[in-house]
Amino acid sequence: MNGRFKASGGAVGGGLLVAGTTSDAGKSVVTAGICRWLARQGVRVAPFKAQNMSLNSFVTREGAEIGRAQAMQAAAARVEPTALMNPVLLKPGSDRSSQVVLLGKAVGELSARGYHAGRQEQLLGTVTDCLQELRRTYDAVICEGAGSPAEINLRRTDIVNMGLARAARIPVMVVGDIDRGGVFASFFGTTALLSKEDQALVAGYLVNKFRGDVTLLEPGLAMLRGLTGRQTLGVLPFSHGLGIDEEDGLRVSLRGAVRESVVAPPHGAEVLRVAVAAVPLMSNFTDVDALAAEPGVVVRFVDRAEELADADLVVLPGTRGTVRALEWLRERGLADAVVRRAAEGRPVLGICGGFQMLGERIEDDIESKAGTVDGLGLLPVRVRFAAEKTLARPVGEALGEPVAGYEIHHGVAEVTGGDEAFMSDGQGRSLDGCRAGSVWGTHWHGSLESDGFRRAFLRRVAADAGRAFVPAPDTSFATLREEQLDRLGDLIEEHADTAALLRLIEEGAPEGLPFVPPGAP
């Protein structure tokens, strides 16, 4: 199979852009699935997303910040993620502005109008250079689009959908979510709103999330081909929990997949209930996926104080707006509820922005520009926001177990006391965070994916909460994640026209694809 592709380091490798009729049509999942399927065939493949808008990000080994979806797609491809795979990352700070992360480093804040009015178009050369470098290095690059390629109001400055496809001359496959309804109209309308030049690269469609007998769909697929001259390259069945790390929203996709794959009952006599505060601009909520991977751990997102009443552990997650999230906790009565829990000795965990909120005070002239703000006062920590963002991949020890994580934050924490450090170097020297009573805080995202540490932490939580909960001794989060990625590869292998996909990746869009009127206005 690998012999069909160019040798690495030679001529430019093959490519495919996975676009979607809408946001959340399944582009990320399909891209990951194709990457895993190709990797299993011995093809050296890499993912790529020119521009990503997400509050869920990851730090590469070279210290670059990219979207978590691209990091997971790299895992599906069995390669190390790099900044080349997601050259532009937009991290929303409000409904109208975002922090722009270029090649892994924050370069400033821009309004949506300012970005689309000129800055985005200027970045086309950067993203095509990154894609070209990947294509020189890998046999194939599977690109993910954003939103819909038929967002005609944004086409002039587009660098992630048809603008990228045109610049790089790569074929496009459009994914549609049939579970939402209207998939045939979406495929036809998406194509018919594109210019003749854009349509020439739209080579086929992929139906996602189909329920039922696929033969009932075949007359519609035949009519769609007659109307557009393009084939449907596969019909993927509906399957719960097949998402990878989400870009936005409250869906914790990996948790869903892991919860369904864990069939064992709780290892101990009782379950452990975890409540995650759904703070505004919540970032890296995927941190709690590893908790939900444990048999007998029930994780839910909450936004009301009364929902904390039966929780054994409350988690304050990361956020792109620490001060804003703190105000939200106070407005909704959640702040008082968390303070009462701490006074009663009931466990609380703060991660990154959540850790900062648990401290005594926050000095923020960078993110919110609010100046000095009182924290919840539950940890002896003072936080000062720095202009330069901390990006790191630390390793250490916690609760006698090895632990690894990643840091993405402007806040610099000064720990002035507490019962113990949270993360240490194994020689008694503090690396990050602290504990005071039953309240814990750390800047380290992803630390709960370290199996031994996660189990040790849950045992401490269960003891403080008075629960007869015992973590299973053999849960491997990395193994569960690999199983999920293999399931995505299976979907492509079993339900897509893989021969047609290979032709597109290797040879590009076929010549003579018909124009579907009316075309772009």
Side-chain angles (χ1 to χ4, degrees):
M1 181 68 69
N2 192 30
R4 298 182 61 179
F5 288 83
K6 62 96 184 175
S8 297
V12 170
L16 176 71
L17 174 67
V18 179
T21 56
T22 62
S23 295
D24 201 34
K27 297 183 292 290
S28 296
V29 166
V30 169
T31 300
I34 294 174
C35 285
R36 176 48 60 99
W37 162 65
L38 286 173
R40 293 195 304 210
Q41 311 307 310
V43 176
R44 294 191 72 250
V45 59
F48 179 78
K49 185 160 185 172
Q51 172 194 294
N52 193 354
M53 178 173 281
S54 178
L55 288 170
N56 283 337
S57 57
F58 182 75
V59 179
T60 67
R61 284 186 177 171
E62 70 267 29
E65 185 179 9
I66 66 172
R68 273 199 66 93
Q70 280 61 67
M72 288 296 290
Q73 288 162 354
R78 296 175 176 155
V79 297
E80 189 66 29
T82 73
L84 291 174
M85 297 173 184
N86 180 206
V88 181
L89 173 64
L90 305 178
K91 302 192 73 174
S94 70
D95 291 338
R96 295 191 176 185
S97 68
S98 293
Q99 183 181 70
V100 180
V101 179
L102 179 61
L103 293 173
K105 303 297 180 184
V107 295
E109 298 272 340
L110 274 180
S111 67
R113 178 175 293 277
Y115 183 68
H116 289 289
R119 180 60 167 159
Q120 183 182 35
E121 195 172 11
Q122 296 168 5
L123 293 172
L124 180 59
T126 298
V127 302
T128 54
D129 287 347
C130 290
L131 176 56
Q132 188 79 349
E133 179 63 26
L134 288 173
R135 294 180 75 184
R136 282 194 292 263
T137 305
Y138 292 91
D139 303 327
V141 179
I142 309 303
C143 308
E144 179 188 345
S148 163
E151 291 169 350
I152 53 180
N153 57 314
L154 302 176
R155 175 61 185 90
R156 183 182 62 83
T157 58
D158 171 50
I159 64 172
V160 65
N161 291 307
M162 301 312 301
L164 177 71
R166 285 269 295 278
R169 301 305 300 172
I170 53 176
V172 178
M173 177 179 69
V174 181
V175 178
D177 179 358
I178 197 170
D179 197 50
R180 295 182 174 189
V183 75
F184 294 116
S186 296
F187 284 142
F188 181 86
T190 296
T191 308
L193 278 175
L194 301 179
S195 69
K196 183 178 181 179
E197 294 78 9
D198 285 354
Q199 286 191 28
L201 293 174
V202 176
Y205 311 111
L206 186 79
V207 176
N208 192 27
K209 300 182 185 178
F210 178 70
R211 305 172 190 253
D213 184 352
V214 72
T215 61
L216 298 176
L217 200 62
E218 289 173 354
L221 300 179
M223 292 176 65
L224 181 66
R225 182 158 192 172
L227 288 167
T228 67
R230 291 157 174 85
Q231 70 180 107
T232 297
L233 299 165
V235 178
L236 306 186
F238 186 97
S239 184
H240 289 283
L242 279 180
I244 62 174
D245 289 6
E246 298 286 352
E247 294 183 351
D248 291 298
L250 287 182
R251 294 173 299 277
V252 184
S253 55
L254 184 54
R255 180 194 64 175
V258 169
R259 292 298 290 159
E260 289 169 13
S261 66
V262 174
V263 296
H267 198 68
E270 293 183 294
V271 300
L272 204 66
R273 295 176 175 83
V274 178
V276 185
V279 298
L281 299 175
M282 182 166 51
S283 62
N284 290 68
F285 53 79
T286 48
D287 284 332
V288 300
D289 287 348
L291 293 178
E294 290 285 349
V297 175
V298 180
V299 178
R300 67 182 187 273
F301 287 90
V302 303
D303 59 5
R304 296 181 297 177
E306 57 268 30
E307 294 177 295
L308 304 186
D310 66 343
D312 302 305
L313 170 66
V314 169
V315 177
L316 301 185
T319 172
R320 171 80 165 85
T322 300
V323 170
R324 177 179 169 186
L326 190 55
E327 293 172 350
W328 181 86
L329 290 175
R330 286 176 168 138
E331 289 167 358
R332 303 186 74 88
L334 284 158
D336 289 341
V338 170
V339 170
R340 286 195 299 271
R341 285 182 60 88
E344 296 165 0
R346 302 171 69 194
V348 177
L349 170 65
I351 302 174
C352 199
F355 168 41
Q356 296 166 6
M357 287 186 275
L358 291 171
E360 296 169 351
R361 72 166 187 249
I362 300 168
E363 297 177 20
D364 181 13
D365 295 317
I366 303 297
E367 191 174 76
S368 69
K369 298 179 173 58
T372 300
V373 176
D374 288 336
L376 296 180
L378 301 180
L379 289 176
V381 175
R382 297 169 184 170
V383 176
R384 176 184 54 81
F385 273 62
E388 186 172 346
K389 186 185 295 188
T390 296
L391 298 171
R393 289 274 294 272
V395 295
E397 181 181 288
L399 302 180
E401 298 286 346
V403 60
Y406 58 98
E407 295 184 67
I408 308 170
H409 54 91
H410 283 280
V412 178
E414 177 190 2
V415 179
T416 60
D419 298 319
E420 61 178 304
F422 201 168
M423 308 297 175
S424 73
D425 64 358
Q427 306 298 320
R429 291 184 291 270
S430 174
L431 295 178
D432 179 77
C434 69
R435 176 185 68 85
S438 60
V439 180
W440 306 74
T442 178
H443 272 127
W444 291 17
H445 293 292
S447 58
L448 292 165
E449 296 179 18
S450 300
D451 297 327
F453 162 67
R454 182 181 64 253
R455 288 191 278 270
F457 178 68
L458 289 175
R459 283 193 290 269
R460 291 284 290 268
V461 168
D464 287 348
R467 292 287 184 189
F469 168 85
V470 179
D474 55 357
T475 301
S476 168
F477 186 76
T479 298
L480 291 169
R481 182 161 52 192
E482 275 296 298
E483 289 175 355
Q484 183 199 29
L485 294 174
D486 274 331
R487 290 173 67 199
L488 296 179
D490 292 343
L491 270 184
I492 298 300
E493 186 170 347
E494 295 169 10
H495 301 284
D497 185 341
T498 53
L501 281 177
L502 282 174
R503 283 194 300 273
L504 284 180
I505 294 168
E506 291 181 280
E507 302 170 10
E511 296 290 335
L513 289 169
F515 173 69
V516 180

